């Protein structure tokens, strides 16, 4: 895995390409379950890693909510939501596990 801070999908068949590069703001992947009530935080072996599982349906809903609340949250968080949507919309999987490294 790349040491560059950001978010990637950790599903084995989907590669290890970065989905979202860290923009240095005050937001994190685990803000999505907390602020949007979508997905769930999963445990990771490393304290420097955050994992969140989202279904394809939740990601579609996340995109709608990110558009609706784009002025209420940090730009980096909204960009993260859009990047997750773009990634998922190009695939047929029904569930994704994303990981953020700092």
């Amino acid at each position: 895995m790349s040491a560059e801070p950001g978010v990637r999908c950790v599903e084995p068949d989907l590669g290890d390409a970065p989905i979202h590069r860290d923009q240095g703001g005050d937001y994190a992947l685990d803000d999505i379950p907390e602020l949007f009530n979508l997905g769930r935080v999963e445990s990771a072996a490393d304290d420097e890693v955050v994992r969140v599982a989202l279904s394809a349906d939740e990601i579609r809903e996340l995109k709608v909510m990110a558009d609706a609340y784009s002025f209420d949250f940090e730009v980096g968080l909204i960009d993260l939501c859009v990047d997750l949507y773009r990634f998922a919309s190009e695939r047929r999987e029904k569930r994704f596990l994303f990981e953020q490294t700092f």
Side-chain angles (χ1 to χ4, degrees), residues 28-41 51-54:
L29 181 62
D30 58 352
D31 287 338
I32 292 172
E34 181 181 336
L35 298 173
F36 295 103
N37 201 29
L38 295 170
R40 70 181 182 286
V41 176
R51 284 186 168 185
V52 171
L54 289 156

Side-chain angles (χ1 to χ4, degrees), residues 54-61 88 92-96:
L54 289 156
S55 71
D57 290 340
E58 288 173 321
I59 294 172
R60 283 189 290 277
E61 188 175 342
R92 294 179 163 244
E93 284 72 20
K94 297 194 185 299
R95 181 184 175 280
F96 299 89

Side-chain angles (χ1 to χ4, degrees), residues 74-93:
E74 187 167 332
V75 171
L77 178 60
I78 299 303
D79 289 347
L80 170 59
C81 296
V82 171
D83 290 344
L84 295 177
Y85 172 77
R86 280 191 197 122
F87 176 82
S89 68
E90 297 171 355
R91 286 148 182 85
R92 294 179 163 244
E93 284 72 20

